Amino acid sequence: MGIVADDLSPAAITSGLATHFIGQRIIYYSRIPSTMEVAKKEALQGAPEGTVVITDEQTAGKGRMRRVWLSPKGCIALSVILYPNIAHLSSLIMVASLAVVHTIAAVTGLWSRIKWPNDVLINGKKVCGILIESGVRDSSIDYAVVGIGINANLKTAHFAEVSLPATSLSDELGRNVSRLELVRRLLVEIERLYLSAQSGEAVYQEWRDNLETLGRRIHARSGNTVYEGIAESVAKDGSLMLRGSDGSLTKLTAGDVTLRE
Ligand code: BTN
């Protein structure tokens, strides 16, 4: 595979970056357990909004539902610190997943879709996972940390532990991509969508239009309960409305979804 610009140093990322606050401060590590833990600590110490924690390699990457997230060298693993109003907390899922879809399209030309609530898939295979953790106190937000992991330059076949079906940008393209270009574009997209989410509902509509899940028969697990039915619609708060075979409608606010044929 060819050599591409791959330096994720703070200077390389911030130089001429077209954002006002997202990514204007970068905390970089060559290797850490998880960017989430560092970002949460920074947030509690009052890091400026938009601070990004990024690493070349995570040794204890965290996925949703307490799963392990593999991010060896070649992947993108970063967390963005935000201080949203509580009313906008649910839109962060939409902002993050749409920002990834736009970034992948702009930098690689690949077409990706969102699997509710916020996995990004290419040809039905997962290329990116998103984890949002927030600190809420007395019904106000202390902080929100948006963690994004993208399988950029990774041969997924070499990683037996990767939960299948998974893919990477390099697997799809047959060549490596510039992680630097991806990260810089991602930060610009996150800022644009984050600001837009605060001023209207365009982000919700776009997120809904990019969901692969709607209209499909799905199997959903939420806590210990399993649901089956047709994914009928999504509400503005991001929850999924599932129509069961008995006609019942269930609102899922979080969960793990498997798409059925
Ligand atoms: C999932 O699909 O289960 C979510 C995966 C989230 C992974 C990212 S990588 C950057 C950040 N640091 C972590 O430890 N997890 C998130």
Side-chain angles (χ1 to χ4, degrees):
M1 292 201 183
I3 294 176
V4 290
D6 214 31
D7 167 19
L8 296 185
S9 67
I13 295 173
T14 54
S15 155
L17 185 70
T19 64
H20 294 290
F21 59 102
I22 304 277
Q24 290 299 330
R25 178 170 171 240
I26 304 279
I27 303 172
Y28 165 83
Y29 295 90
S30 56
R31 192 172 190 235
I32 41 169
S34 163
T35 56
M36 297 306 282
E37 306 315 317
V38 179
K40 283 190 279 183
K41 211 163 136 205
E42 287 286 332
L44 288 171
Q45 289 168 0
E49 180 161 55
T51 298
V52 170
V53 180
I54 188 165
T55 186
D56 273 315
E57 189 180 356
Q58 292 187 127
T59 52
K62 292 169 63 181
R64 292 173 62 234
M65 320 270 170
R66 296 170 186 257
R67 281 191 289 243
V68 169
W69 178 262
L70 284 183
S71 27
K73 280 188 184 150
C75 286
I76 292 173
L78 61 81
S79 293
V80 185
I81 299 170
L82 298 170
Y83 302 108
N85 184 304
I86 195 147
H88 296 124
L89 187 58
S90 61
S91 67
L92 291 186
I93 282 181
M94 308 174 198
V95 166
S97 50
L98 271 178
V100 171
V101 168
H102 286 301
T103 298
I104 290 176
V107 176
T108 70
L110 291 167
W111 194 67
S112 57
R113 301 274 287 165
I114 301 165
K115 179 162 87 72
W116 182 89
N118 54 8
D119 287 346
V120 179
L121 312 182
I122 296 178
N123 295 324
K125 293 184 271 182
K126 182 159 167 174
V127 70
C128 163
I130 295 165
L131 175 67
I132 299 179
E133 295 186 329
S134 53
V136 181
R137 196 176 23 175
D138 300 333
S139 30
S140 73
I141 298 276
D142 266 355
Y143 64 83
V145 170
V146 179
I148 302 179
I150 303 178
N151 298 337
N153 300 323
L154 173 72
K155 285 195 173 144
T156 39
H158 288 183
F159 289 87
E161 304 136 274
V162 171
S163 65
L164 290 169
T167 190
S168 67
L169 298 176
S170 60
D171 276 355
E172 294 296 323
L173 292 167
R175 63 172 170 84
N176 277 353
V177 283
S178 163
R179 290 184 311 155
L180 178 61
E181 207 184 321
L182 285 163
V183 168
R184 284 169 56 90
R185 183 64 185 238
L186 182 62
L187 299 176
V188 169
E189 292 291 337
I190 292 173
E191 181 168 299
R192 186 177 66 75
L193 290 158
Y194 180 59
L195 294 175
S196 145
Q198 302 190 353
S199 63
E201 47 173 76
V203 171
Y204 157 70
Q205 280 165 15
E206 206 193 336
W207 174 72
R208 188 188 57 194
D209 293 346
N210 277 272
L211 282 175
E212 177 148 285
T213 319
L214 293 187
R216 301 274 299 268
R217 174 160 292 280
I218 62 163
H219 185 111
R221 182 182 294 277
S222 186
N224 288 328
T225 316
V226 173
Y227 303 89
E228 234 185 291
I230 305 282
E232 194 166 279
S233 59
V234 279
K236 282 186 190 153
D237 67 0
S239 50
L240 180 71
M241 306 305 290
L242 184 71
R243 181 71 69 181
S245 49
D246 59 355
S248 62
L249 201 56
T250 308
K251 182 173 175 153
L252 298 176
T253 49
D256 215 13
V257 161
T258 311
L259 301 172
R260 292 284 162 98
E261 285 316 309

